[in-house]
Amino acid sequence: MPFWCVESTVGDPFGSSVMDKITSLEACDILCDAKSKGLIDFTSTHDDDIVTWDPANPMDDQDPSSECYKTIRALKEKMDKVGLKMKMVTCSLHGNTVFRNGGLTNPDPDIRVLAAQKVMRTLRIGNFFGAEYFTYWVARDGYECQFAVPWDRAYKYLEAGLNLATRYIKENKLSIKYCTIEPKPNEPRGEMFLATTGHALGLISRLEDPSMWGVNPELLQHEGMTNLSATNAAGMAIHAGKMPFLHVGNQKAGQFDNDSPILTGMDGLKEMISVLWILEKLDWKGHIEFDNHVLRTDAAPGSANSIQVRKDFIKFNVESYRMAEKKAEDLAANKDLNTLRAAMLDKSSPMLKALESYDLKALQEAKIDYKKVNEAPVSNANIDYAFNKALLGM
Amino acid sequence: MPFWCVESTVGDPFGSSVMDKITSLEACDILCDAKSKGLIDFTSTHDDDIVTWDPANPMDDQDPSSECYKTIRALKEKMDKVGLKMKMVTCSLHGNTVFRNGGLTNPDPDIRVLAAQKVMRTLRIGNFFGAEYFTYWVARDGYECQFAVPWDRAYKYLEAGLNLATRYIKENKLSIKYCTIEPKPNEPRGEMFLATTGHALGLISRLEDPSMWGVNPELLQHEGMTNLSATNAAGMAIHAGKMPFLHVGNQKAGQFDNDSPILTGMDGLKEMISVLWILEKLDWKGHIEFDNHVLRTDAAPGSANSIQVRKDFIKFNVESYRMAEKKAEDLAANKDLNTLRAAMLDKSSPMLKALESYDLKALQEAKIDYKKVNEAPVSNANIDYAFNKALLGM
Amino acid sequence: MPFWCVESTVGDPFGSSVMDKITSLEACDILCDAKSKGLIDFTSTHDDDIVTWDPANPMDDQDPSSECYKTIRALKEKMDKVGLKMKMVTCSLHGNTVFRNGGLTNPDPDIRVLAAQKVMRTLRIGNFFGAEYFTYWVARDGYECQFAVPWDRAYKYLEAGLNLATRYIKENKLSIKYCTIEPKPNEPRGEMFLATTGHALGLISRLEDPSMWGVNPELLQHEGMTNLSATNAAGMAIHAGKMPFLHVGNQKAGQFDNDSPILTGMDGLKEMISVLWILEKLDWKGHIEFDNHVLRTDAAPGSANSIQVRKDFIKFNVESYRMAEKKAEDLAANKDLNTLRAAMLDKSSPMLKALESYDLKALQEAKIDYKKVNEAPVSNANIDYAFNKALLGM
Amino acid sequence: MPFWCVESTVGDPFGSSVMDKITSLEACDILCDAKSKGLIDFTSTHDDDIVTWDPANPMDDQDPSSECYKTIRALKEKMDKVGLKMKMVTCSLHGNTVFRNGGLTNPDPDIRVLAAQKVMRTLRIGNFFGAEYFTYWVARDGYECQFAVPWDRAYKYLEAGLNLATRYIKENKLSIKYCTIEPKPNEPRGEMFLATTGHALGLISRLEDPSMWGVNPELLQHEGMTNLSATNAAGMAIHAGKMPFLHVGNQKAGQFDNDSPILTGMDGLKEMISVLWILEKLDWKGHIEFDNHVLRTDAAPGSANSIQVRKDFIKFNVESYRMAEKKAEDLAANKDLNTLRAAMLDKSSPMLKALESYDLKALQEAKIDYKKVNEAPVSNANIDYAFNKALLGM
């Protein structure tokens, strides 16, 4: 459960914050409480969630007299006490107004320098906490007006920004072992340079060290925003060996970024549980991070609510997730379902070897009984029905 | 202008064909006529568009007594006479009912063998015509029911299928120099394994020989179907050096695959022209292929219409395209517009060198006047306005 | 289960029919078999599903020597034998190519006359079967090119077409008691004049006899195609007292018209069951009609499959529907869930009476404790969680 | 140009306000300046845009000692001086956190009372300014969790809320002559009760006095958010005689509410200009109101920018609008285009009279030459092409 989810005051473009603001130390207490209760194992943070960036002092994290220096130590002390790990850090290039026209891809070189300084500071802070991952989410690297984009340089800027992060990590031997891209199709910008899990995978192959980079899809939200499929995102990223973790929440397809708590909302039960079932079937070893906030309707102002609503929110998310995970495990372990799948998916054939070994000659000469295979019905729907029944516990 | 666009009888799921069917020889005459009139330079085809696949005779193209053998020669003779090139071939893994549950990724190995045989035949036919490109469009490689997908193997099947094509090309020293993936988010299947230009680029990095593979986006259609941006697809693919050609047509965003003629329909003028403008600005050297069909409302049954409507359709598309291309060239050459862009996009800074050379130390120590850059307004809208004015010829 | 769903050969824009064609008498046998087995109670039909329209003989249903006359009697005899009712008839203004540019709203007056003749014939056929309902679905009444629409007349044509139907029913004292509009946002046309349940309700208020007209949403498909909500469509239409029946199937949001069997596909369990739960809660007395087809992947060619696949399809749909209905009934009857809802939704207040009676003075003078109501948390998510748990049977 | 557009500080869910806040008096000065320069004729406002609601003093507008009383008089004095009219008032039921779970449809009766009080205050303020229109936009009247909605009462609450407004207007003989609904599909809520122009028209027919109510679509934004068409919204609402004014701006289809300035962004030129062309062709007598804000990228912090950026924004919008309007007028007046349209849309037929008079007998007996009409090609695309050419000024 990341700091930003707990700190969110759930304002939206049509109404102000509902919740009172809390400090990062208060947020940390809430997270440590959740750790103590066995609800969570680790957390994540943007730099600004815990120590606000001061562009005049980009190295404040190294200065013992600074607020930043003291705060990160106070936070770490709290976290160490309960064994709460900082798993991932990410640099906010969206909150500060200076990045309103882009962070890593801002056309103004001076702003790209500010972005670079902010990324380096974030990496150092991550290192201080012993974070394993650094995440670049696309933030404001995009556009609304295609004629105002430097098409000959935009992706170069993006690649340079990401290469800079890995160079800095390596040169300084930081704790971060792996970096991820979190793609998103739109919002806050009209179009993002890296819209989907596919786009992230495509870009990674062009970076200096692709082995340092993977993708953390935000499911169901970011793929669902343009009616793409969360199952596909997870399936392709895992197949590529490039999904160390994922972000979870719920989304009504084709809308603004809902960031609703997992399973909460109009639909998404089947899709979310099927994603978790894929993780089970593929024996995935990554980790799950929440990335959502309390429904704005369910937040409440006032100091009495300020801590309690946030604690309830964590508990609610964890319980919802565990319900989904339990169902996914049950589906994955269900022998009848696995048998049904095997009957359709594990069909044997003397040609299997030729297919796997690219035996072009054998493939070319094979005699397949076209009429037989063409008239043999398959039933995807029967498999789906059996899973529906199990999903509904009927 | 491909054979399939000319041959289309424009049926749809709610109504039968409007146009009378024509043979591939008749289609070829129409295309040759268009070449003679200077409307087109080259064409493309699915195997089945010109010579129907017979699964019992997968090598019929090599058999001088076969209909296939004779037909491709008759077609080539016609094409050679007017200098019409066959630029690209693609294998239909969607038309024949045997592939209804997938082509390269069909769970049934025997059907994957049929797909392999059909791909190899297509490549040989392409070679016969001297085609430069082979295209894999995602066809029916996808799913409606995520629980009926072999997630541990689906992308392996896909990669194997594509690797098989390049192996066959190389082993047989065929004319094909480069292959492309044409991605699509959905339709005919519920979800496609390669939904967008990004997904295609992501997969290519995992193929045996990525240097043999690129992407041919279908713009505005395939990206627009899920509200993604054609400019982004073109921009990213060109940056990656992986867009040898593209398919063009028009699309109402968020709908079924419209395949409307270029510029024709509810909107899309600005988006399509901006894509062509990007091609100009990036000095792109690829080629443009139409991929659309006559509006079903504008087709008409009866032999009197059969040839004329199709000829008119080609002419209409070419004229519409030339109108868009002319406008794009004008925009690209417009000095005022270029000056306006340069003022915002080519800002100089003493830090440019450090950014380009990843001089981490210099970047870290740079003093940027935050207040100054933060309070300096930029105006994407002004650039957009100037382009709008030029677009509207006002 | 309508004739058209059983007869469908599941072709799509990218591939030909998978299933062999069957006659309407064969389809009738399949339906009667389903009635005998207790799977269905009634059926529905387009005119062309049972007796193809011949524009040269628009009154063939009245001519004892015609094929039409004989066929409808043969069908009725079969249906009467097992007690299968023809509940609704609808006129196909989409299948025949003459209506490719619109039916009731075709700009060509002669084609509007053909449409009127076809509607009247359909109404007489419906009357012959004792049908209660006539349905107008939007078919091809729409446009791709907004500049080619007669905006001053398009909706007038539409209203005239619908008024004509009710006039004909009344003048001829036909069996039809009520008519419905089935809205759809797009496909086969780019834009439809009546895109949603809301648009249908809006138009009805302008018809000659609004009391004769309601709406039959197709859920989840038609609202889901543009990411709108099935719950909203059902809720608003029932509130207006204008939903005598609805069509059901499944849909991946934001795609082409999937027409997948109910519950079958990527998602939709929660949304579909919630629609049925709303029907329960509102004590709705209408009826449910399937409107979907077998997954194209699951169909199969060959005469051996021709009847069996279709029978299995009906059984599959009914079982899937009954599973959803059972779950919806359980949710509606669940006391804990109802108590949870009541706690939030049935809050009492001394002001209730003033609100209901529009007592403006009392409302104006009321003293509400703003701080108290503002700081009182509500929890939509808790209600949702409890329903999720019950949905998943956990 | 409404107060809220000028006052917007363009924060978004991922970043804080860019612009410095200004007071309503400062906003008024900017608007009066625009009026003096001939840029605008009238303005509109939410209650809270000019005088913040104090729930403890719901009648403050009547109290000469209140801030509200003084401010509205100060504003009116400024406006009168330059002849700036207050055309419309609308009640913000979205900004204040107490309405986070709904305004008119809030399940808590006490909050519905607060909403009623706020609406009445808004109406009185509107009356003070002599406003002609009151607008209800759907704000937070919707839901994210369908199981937490009182489906038996939700639309009743909505109708009661709207009826209350008209009763209050009539009983107090206020200046407001007509009310409008501004529909929206989602955002800030997951689903809105009145999603589209169609839904608004549907609801109006159920209100106490439908003659008092119309709809003001926000085009291209609100229909485009779910990929529906602005042309259709305008066409249907004008046909119903229920569109006194509309809101304008730009939108990338299928995204969050962009509220971009008119014509500004990825696409939309053709769609927006076609809407204005429809208004011309239908001789529409309503008025146009801007409803959008400066691109967040193009805003800037700091007092130096605070007034100037806002003034530039008005000018930019007006110039963009005038460019679109000029083009629409040119298209509407273009004889060649009108001739082309007439050739297809004004086809005469001896049957026209029978169609218009519902002469069922004549229609039934008409002999139409099916083959002739079926084989006669029409060309929507040619009309579209001619308009494209004119649109592009080529």
Side-chain angles (χ1 to χ4, degrees), chain A residues 183 195-203 223 226 228-229 232-234 236-237, chain B residues 138 155 158 181 183-185 191-206 215 223 226 228 236:
Chain A
T196 73
T197 296
H199 292 78
L201 293 173
L203 191 89
E223 309 289 318
T226 40
L228 292 171
S229 161
N232 205 20
M236 186 173 180
Chain B
V138 294
Y155 282 97
L158 188 45
I181 294 171
K184 196 178 177 186
E191 300 292 331
M192 304 300 202
F193 289 122
L194 298 178
T196 74
T197 295
H199 292 80
L201 293 173
L203 191 90
I204 287 170
S205 68
R206 293 184 48 81
V215 59
E223 309 290 317
T226 40
L228 293 172
M236 185 173 181

Short mmCIF file of all heavy atoms in Angstrom, two decimals, chain A residues 183 195-203 223 226 228-229 232-234 236-237, chain B residues 138 155 158 181 183-185 191-206 215 223 226 228 236:
data_model
loop_
_atom_site.label_atom_id
_atom_site.label_comp_id
_atom_site.label_asym_id
_atom_site.label_seq_id
_atom_site.Cartn_x
_atom_site.Cartn_y
_atom_site.Cartn_z
N PRO A 183 2.60 2.31 -17.87
CA PRO A 183 1.99 3.01 -19.00
C PRO A 183 0.58 3.46 -18.69
O PRO A 183 -0.06 2.97 -17.75
CB PRO A 183 1.98 1.94 -20.09
CG PRO A 183 1.89 0.65 -19.35
CD PRO A 183 2.56 0.85 -18.02
N ALA A 195 1.30 4.43 -24.14
CA ALA A 195 -0.12 4.29 -23.83
C ALA A 195 -0.48 2.99 -23.14
O ALA A 195 -1.39 2.95 -22.32
CB ALA A 195 -0.93 4.44 -25.12
N THR A 196 0.21 1.92 -23.48
CA THR A 196 -0.19 0.60 -22.98
C THR A 196 1.03 -0.23 -22.60
O THR A 196 2.17 0.14 -22.90
CB THR A 196 -0.96 -0.20 -24.07
OG1 THR A 196 -0.01 -0.62 -25.06
CG2 THR A 196 -2.03 0.64 -24.75
N THR A 197 0.76 -1.36 -22.00
CA THR A 197 1.80 -2.33 -21.67
C THR A 197 2.62 -2.68 -22.92
O THR A 197 3.84 -2.82 -22.86
CB THR A 197 1.14 -3.59 -21.07
OG1 THR A 197 0.52 -3.21 -19.84
CG2 THR A 197 2.13 -4.69 -20.83
N GLY A 198 1.93 -2.78 -24.05
CA GLY A 198 2.63 -3.06 -25.30
C GLY A 198 3.62 -1.97 -25.65
O GLY A 198 4.77 -2.24 -26.03
N HIS A 199 3.20 -0.72 -25.53
CA HIS A 199 4.09 0.39 -25.86
C HIS A 199 5.31 0.39 -24.94
O HIS A 199 6.44 0.67 -25.37
CB HIS A 199 3.36 1.73 -25.73
CG HIS A 199 2.30 1.94 -26.77
ND1 HIS A 199 1.06 1.35 -26.69
CD2 HIS A 199 2.29 2.65 -27.93
CE1 HIS A 199 0.35 1.70 -27.76
NE2 HIS A 199 1.06 2.49 -28.52
N ALA A 200 5.10 0.11 -23.67
CA ALA A 200 6.23 0.06 -22.74
C ALA A 200 7.21 -1.02 -23.16
O ALA A 200 8.43 -0.79 -23.23
CB ALA A 200 5.72 -0.18 -21.32
N LEU A 201 6.69 -2.21 -23.48
CA LEU A 201 7.58 -3.30 -23.91
C LEU A 201 8.32 -2.91 -25.19
O LEU A 201 9.49 -3.25 -25.38
CB LEU A 201 6.78 -4.58 -24.12
CG LEU A 201 6.18 -5.19 -22.83
CD1 LEU A 201 5.25 -6.36 -23.18
CD2 LEU A 201 7.29 -5.65 -21.88
N GLY A 202 7.62 -2.22 -26.07
CA GLY A 202 8.26 -1.79 -27.31
C GLY A 202 9.40 -0.83 -27.06
O GLY A 202 10.47 -0.93 -27.67
N LEU A 203 9.21 0.11 -26.15
CA LEU A 203 10.26 1.08 -25.88
C LEU A 203 11.46 0.45 -25.19
O LEU A 203 12.61 0.80 -25.47
CB LEU A 203 9.73 2.23 -25.01
CG LEU A 203 10.73 3.39 -24.93
CD1 LEU A 203 10.47 4.37 -26.07
CD2 LEU A 203 10.72 4.08 -23.59
N GLU A 223 -5.26 -0.13 -18.63
CA GLU A 223 -5.61 -0.76 -19.90
C GLU A 223 -7.11 -0.58 -20.16
O GLU A 223 -7.55 -0.34 -21.28
CB GLU A 223 -5.25 -2.26 -19.91
CG GLU A 223 -3.81 -2.57 -19.48
CD GLU A 223 -2.72 -2.17 -20.47
OE1 GLU A 223 -2.89 -2.37 -21.67
OE2 GLU A 223 -1.67 -1.65 -20.00
N THR A 226 -8.95 2.51 -22.08
CA THR A 226 -9.24 2.50 -23.53
C THR A 226 -9.79 1.14 -23.95
O THR A 226 -9.56 0.71 -25.08
CB THR A 226 -8.02 2.85 -24.39
OG1 THR A 226 -6.87 2.24 -23.84
CG2 THR A 226 -7.82 4.34 -24.47
N LEU A 228 -9.02 -1.80 -23.43
CA LEU A 228 -8.14 -2.94 -23.66
C LEU A 228 -8.26 -3.90 -22.48
O LEU A 228 -8.92 -3.63 -21.49
CB LEU A 228 -6.70 -2.46 -23.87
CG LEU A 228 -6.50 -1.68 -25.17
CD1 LEU A 228 -5.12 -1.05 -25.22
CD2 LEU A 228 -6.71 -2.56 -26.40
N SER A 229 -7.59 -5.05 -22.59
CA SER A 229 -7.82 -6.11 -21.64
C SER A 229 -6.66 -6.27 -20.66
O SER A 229 -5.48 -6.32 -21.05
CB SER A 229 -7.99 -7.42 -22.42
OG SER A 229 -7.76 -8.52 -21.58
N ASN A 232 -4.67 -9.59 -21.14
CA ASN A 232 -3.69 -9.52 -22.21
C ASN A 232 -2.42 -8.83 -21.74
O ASN A 232 -1.30 -9.27 -22.03
CB ASN A 232 -4.30 -8.74 -23.37
CG ASN A 232 -3.67 -9.11 -24.67
OD1 ASN A 232 -3.06 -10.17 -24.78
ND2 ASN A 232 -3.79 -8.25 -25.65
N ALA A 233 -2.58 -7.74 -21.01
CA ALA A 233 -1.43 -7.00 -20.50
C ALA A 233 -0.59 -7.90 -19.60
O ALA A 233 0.64 -8.00 -19.76
CB ALA A 233 -1.89 -5.76 -19.73
N ALA A 234 -1.24 -8.58 -18.67
CA ALA A 234 -0.52 -9.46 -17.75
C ALA A 234 0.10 -10.63 -18.52
O ALA A 234 1.28 -10.96 -18.33
CB ALA A 234 -1.46 -9.97 -16.67
N MET A 236 1.02 -10.94 -21.67
CA MET A 236 2.14 -10.58 -22.54
C MET A 236 3.38 -10.17 -21.74
O MET A 236 4.51 -10.54 -22.07
CB MET A 236 1.74 -9.45 -23.49
CG MET A 236 2.82 -9.12 -24.52
SD MET A 236 2.25 -7.91 -25.77
CE MET A 236 3.75 -7.80 -26.79
N ALA A 237 3.15 -9.41 -20.66
CA ALA A 237 4.29 -8.94 -19.86
C ALA A 237 4.97 -10.10 -19.12
O ALA A 237 6.20 -10.14 -19.02
CB ALA A 237 3.83 -7.87 -18.87
N VAL B 138 -3.24 -9.52 -37.39
CA VAL B 138 -3.51 -10.40 -36.26
C VAL B 138 -4.71 -11.31 -36.47
O VAL B 138 -4.85 -12.30 -35.76
CB VAL B 138 -3.65 -9.58 -34.97
CG1 VAL B 138 -2.32 -8.94 -34.64
CG2 VAL B 138 -4.72 -8.49 -35.13
N TYR B 155 1.68 -16.77 -26.56
CA TYR B 155 2.67 -15.89 -27.22
C TYR B 155 3.82 -16.69 -27.83
O TYR B 155 4.44 -16.25 -28.79
CB TYR B 155 3.17 -14.83 -26.25
CG TYR B 155 2.17 -13.71 -26.09
CD1 TYR B 155 1.27 -13.68 -25.03
CD2 TYR B 155 2.09 -12.69 -27.03
CE1 TYR B 155 0.33 -12.67 -24.90
CE2 TYR B 155 1.17 -11.67 -26.92
CZ TYR B 155 0.28 -11.67 -25.85
OH TYR B 155 -0.65 -10.67 -25.74
N LEU B 158 2.66 -17.65 -31.20
CA LEU B 158 2.69 -16.48 -32.07
C LEU B 158 4.12 -16.22 -32.56
O LEU B 158 4.36 -16.03 -33.76
CB LEU B 158 2.16 -15.29 -31.28
CG LEU B 158 1.91 -13.97 -31.98
CD1 LEU B 158 1.18 -14.15 -33.29
CD2 LEU B 158 1.10 -13.06 -31.05
N ILE B 181 4.03 -6.56 -38.91
CA ILE B 181 2.85 -6.94 -38.12
C ILE B 181 1.84 -5.82 -38.25
O ILE B 181 2.18 -4.65 -38.11
CB ILE B 181 3.22 -7.12 -36.64
CG1 ILE B 181 4.17 -8.32 -36.48
CG2 ILE B 181 1.98 -7.30 -35.78
CD1 ILE B 181 4.77 -8.44 -35.08
N PRO B 183 -1.21 -4.65 -36.25
CA PRO B 183 -1.94 -4.91 -35.00
C PRO B 183 -3.38 -4.42 -35.08
O PRO B 183 -3.73 -3.60 -35.94
CB PRO B 183 -1.16 -4.08 -33.98
CG PRO B 183 -0.58 -2.96 -34.77
CD PRO B 183 -0.37 -3.46 -36.17
N LYS B 184 -4.19 -4.92 -34.18
CA LYS B 184 -5.60 -4.51 -34.11
C LYS B 184 -6.11 -4.88 -32.73
O LYS B 184 -5.78 -5.95 -32.23
CB LYS B 184 -6.39 -5.23 -35.20
CG LYS B 184 -7.74 -4.64 -35.48
CD LYS B 184 -8.47 -5.38 -36.60
CE LYS B 184 -9.85 -4.80 -36.80
NZ LYS B 184 -10.65 -5.56 -37.76
N PRO B 185 -6.94 -4.04 -32.13
CA PRO B 185 -7.33 -4.33 -30.74
C PRO B 185 -8.41 -5.41 -30.61
O PRO B 185 -8.40 -6.17 -29.65
CB PRO B 185 -7.84 -2.99 -30.23
CG PRO B 185 -8.25 -2.23 -31.44
CD PRO B 185 -7.35 -2.69 -32.55
N GLU B 191 -10.62 -10.06 -28.12
CA GLU B 191 -9.34 -9.43 -27.79
C GLU B 191 -8.29 -10.01 -28.72
O GLU B 191 -8.30 -11.20 -28.99
CB GLU B 191 -8.90 -9.76 -26.34
CG GLU B 191 -9.85 -9.31 -25.28
CD GLU B 191 -9.94 -7.82 -25.14
OE1 GLU B 191 -8.96 -7.13 -25.43
OE2 GLU B 191 -11.02 -7.34 -24.75
N MET B 192 -7.37 -9.20 -29.16
CA MET B 192 -6.27 -9.67 -29.99
C MET B 192 -5.01 -9.76 -29.13
O MET B 192 -4.80 -8.94 -28.24
CB MET B 192 -6.01 -8.69 -31.12
CG MET B 192 -7.22 -8.41 -31.98
SD MET B 192 -7.89 -9.90 -32.78
CE MET B 192 -8.77 -9.11 -34.14
N PHE B 193 -4.14 -10.69 -29.45
CA PHE B 193 -2.89 -10.78 -28.71
C PHE B 193 -1.99 -9.58 -28.98
O PHE B 193 -1.19 -9.19 -28.12
CB PHE B 193 -2.15 -12.08 -29.06
CG PHE B 193 -2.82 -13.30 -28.50
CD1 PHE B 193 -3.24 -14.33 -29.32
CD2 PHE B 193 -3.04 -13.41 -27.13
CE1 PHE B 193 -3.87 -15.46 -28.80
CE2 PHE B 193 -3.67 -14.54 -26.60
CZ PHE B 193 -4.09 -15.57 -27.44
N LEU B 194 -2.09 -9.00 -30.15
CA LEU B 194 -1.29 -7.80 -30.46
C LEU B 194 -2.24 -6.66 -30.79
O LEU B 194 -2.64 -6.47 -31.94
CB LEU B 194 -0.34 -8.09 -31.62
CG LEU B 194 0.71 -9.17 -31.35
CD1 LEU B 194 1.57 -9.41 -32.58
CD2 LEU B 194 1.59 -8.82 -30.15
N ALA B 195 -2.57 -5.90 -29.76
CA ALA B 195 -3.66 -4.94 -29.86
C ALA B 195 -3.28 -3.63 -30.56
O ALA B 195 -4.11 -3.02 -31.22
CB ALA B 195 -4.20 -4.63 -28.47
N THR B 196 -2.06 -3.20 -30.39
CA THR B 196 -1.67 -1.88 -30.87
C THR B 196 -0.26 -1.91 -31.48
O THR B 196 0.46 -2.90 -31.34
CB THR B 196 -1.64 -0.84 -29.72
OG1 THR B 196 -0.48 -1.10 -28.91
CG2 THR B 196 -2.88 -0.90 -28.85
N THR B 197 0.10 -0.82 -32.09
CA THR B 197 1.45 -0.63 -32.61
C THR B 197 2.49 -0.89 -31.51
O THR B 197 3.53 -1.50 -31.76
CB THR B 197 1.58 0.80 -33.16
OG1 THR B 197 0.70 0.91 -34.28
CG2 THR B 197 2.99 1.11 -33.61
N GLY B 198 2.18 -0.47 -30.30
CA GLY B 198 3.08 -0.72 -29.18
C GLY B 198 3.27 -2.21 -28.92
O GLY B 198 4.40 -2.68 -28.73
N HIS B 199 2.18 -2.95 -28.91
CA HIS B 199 2.28 -4.40 -28.68
C HIS B 199 3.11 -5.08 -29.76
O HIS B 199 3.90 -5.98 -29.47
CB HIS B 199 0.88 -5.03 -28.63
CG HIS B 199 0.08 -4.61 -27.42
ND1 HIS B 199 -0.58 -3.41 -27.35
CD2 HIS B 199 -0.17 -5.23 -26.25
CE1 HIS B 199 -1.20 -3.31 -26.17
NE2 HIS B 199 -0.97 -4.40 -25.49
N ALA B 200 2.91 -4.65 -31.00
CA ALA B 200 3.69 -5.24 -32.09
C ALA B 200 5.18 -4.97 -31.87
O ALA B 200 6.02 -5.87 -31.97
CB ALA B 200 3.23 -4.66 -33.44
N LEU B 201 5.53 -3.72 -31.54
CA LEU B 201 6.94 -3.39 -31.30
C LEU B 201 7.48 -4.19 -30.12
O LEU B 201 8.64 -4.63 -30.13
CB LEU B 201 7.09 -1.88 -31.05
CG LEU B 201 6.79 -0.98 -32.25
CD1 LEU B 201 6.79 0.49 -31.84
CD2 LEU B 201 7.80 -1.22 -33.38
N GLY B 202 6.65 -4.39 -29.12
CA GLY B 202 7.07 -5.17 -27.96
C GLY B 202 7.38 -6.61 -28.34
O GLY B 202 8.38 -7.19 -27.88
N LEU B 203 6.54 -7.19 -29.16
CA LEU B 203 6.76 -8.59 -29.53
C LEU B 203 7.98 -8.75 -30.43
O LEU B 203 8.74 -9.72 -30.30
CB LEU B 203 5.54 -9.16 -30.26
CG LEU B 203 5.63 -10.68 -30.42
CD1 LEU B 203 5.00 -11.37 -29.23
CD2 LEU B 203 5.02 -11.16 -31.71
N ILE B 204 8.15 -7.81 -31.33
CA ILE B 204 9.26 -7.92 -32.30
C ILE B 204 10.60 -8.11 -31.60
O ILE B 204 11.44 -8.88 -32.04
CB ILE B 204 9.28 -6.67 -33.22
CG1 ILE B 204 8.12 -6.76 -34.21
CG2 ILE B 204 10.61 -6.54 -33.95
CD1 ILE B 204 7.86 -5.51 -35.02
N SER B 205 10.76 -7.43 -30.48
CA SER B 205 12.05 -7.52 -29.77
C SER B 205 12.33 -8.93 -29.29
O SER B 205 13.44 -9.24 -28.88
CB SER B 205 12.08 -6.53 -28.60
OG SER B 205 11.15 -6.93 -27.60
N ARG B 206 11.33 -9.78 -29.30
CA ARG B 206 11.51 -11.16 -28.82
C ARG B 206 11.65 -12.18 -29.97
O ARG B 206 11.82 -13.37 -29.70
CB ARG B 206 10.34 -11.55 -27.93
CG ARG B 206 10.30 -10.77 -26.62
CD ARG B 206 9.19 -11.26 -25.73
NE ARG B 206 9.18 -12.70 -25.61
CZ ARG B 206 9.97 -13.42 -24.80
NH1 ARG B 206 10.81 -12.80 -24.01
NH2 ARG B 206 9.91 -14.73 -24.79
N VAL B 215 6.35 -2.81 -38.29
CA VAL B 215 4.91 -2.74 -38.04
C VAL B 215 4.28 -1.87 -39.12
O VAL B 215 4.88 -0.90 -39.58
CB VAL B 215 4.64 -2.19 -36.62
CG1 VAL B 215 5.24 -0.80 -36.45
CG2 VAL B 215 3.15 -2.15 -36.30
N GLU B 223 -5.90 1.93 -34.46
CA GLU B 223 -5.61 2.59 -33.19
C GLU B 223 -6.87 3.32 -32.71
O GLU B 223 -7.18 3.33 -31.52
CB GLU B 223 -4.44 3.57 -33.30
CG GLU B 223 -3.17 3.01 -33.95
CD GLU B 223 -2.40 1.98 -33.13
OE1 GLU B 223 -2.23 2.18 -31.92
OE2 GLU B 223 -1.96 0.95 -33.72
N THR B 226 -9.87 1.82 -30.37
CA THR B 226 -9.89 1.94 -28.90
C THR B 226 -9.44 3.33 -28.47
O THR B 226 -8.83 3.48 -27.42
CB THR B 226 -9.00 0.88 -28.21
OG1 THR B 226 -7.80 0.74 -28.96
CG2 THR B 226 -9.70 -0.43 -28.11
N LEU B 228 -7.17 5.26 -29.23
CA LEU B 228 -5.77 5.65 -29.19
C LEU B 228 -5.47 6.55 -30.38
O LEU B 228 -6.31 6.77 -31.25
CB LEU B 228 -4.87 4.41 -29.18
CG LEU B 228 -5.00 3.59 -27.89
CD1 LEU B 228 -4.26 2.28 -28.01
CD2 LEU B 228 -4.46 4.37 -26.69
N MET B 236 5.93 6.76 -32.91
CA MET B 236 6.74 5.76 -32.20
C MET B 236 7.35 4.75 -33.17
O MET B 236 8.51 4.36 -33.02
CB MET B 236 5.89 5.05 -31.14
CG MET B 236 6.70 4.09 -30.27
SD MET B 236 5.72 3.40 -28.90
CE MET B 236 6.99 2.38 -28.10
#
